[in-house]
Amino acid sequence: MESFHASLKKECVYPVPVFEDYETAAAALFEYVHAFYNRKRIHSSLGYQTPLQVEIATLTSQMAA
């Protein structure tokens, strides 16, 4: 979990000096987590696949069983 928070800060929070308001910050965090981190960013703990790839593979194998 610490690795996620470090990535979140480096890639989403620190590049923006100050968010305009709470809604802007919440939208930026939502976009980072749901559009980038969970869909495009590879994770070493998942065999260098994205969480989406692992989820699709899991669902596919469950459907085949």
Side-chain angles (χ1 to χ4, degrees):
M1 192 54 114
E2 291 177 22
S3 177
F4 168 75
H5 288 112
S7 297
L8 176 70
K9 289 178 187 177
K10 286 188 288 188
E11 298 171 358
C12 182
V13 177
Y14 292 154
V16 180
V18 176
F19 287 102
E20 294 177 19
D21 53 26
Y22 175 82
E23 288 79 21
T24 306
L29 293 173
F30 182 87
E31 177 75 17
Y32 174 79
V33 171
H34 293 287
F36 174 70
Y37 195 82
N38 283 344
R39 296 186 183 267
K40 297 179 183 171
R41 193 169 191 281
I42 61 169
H43 298 268
S44 61
S45 63
L46 300 176
Y48 295 95
Q49 295 181 340
T50 67
L52 184 60
Q53 289 172 320
V54 172
E55 183 177 353
I56 290 169
T58 301
L59 291 173
T60 302
S61 67
Q62 288 177 351
M63 290 175 66

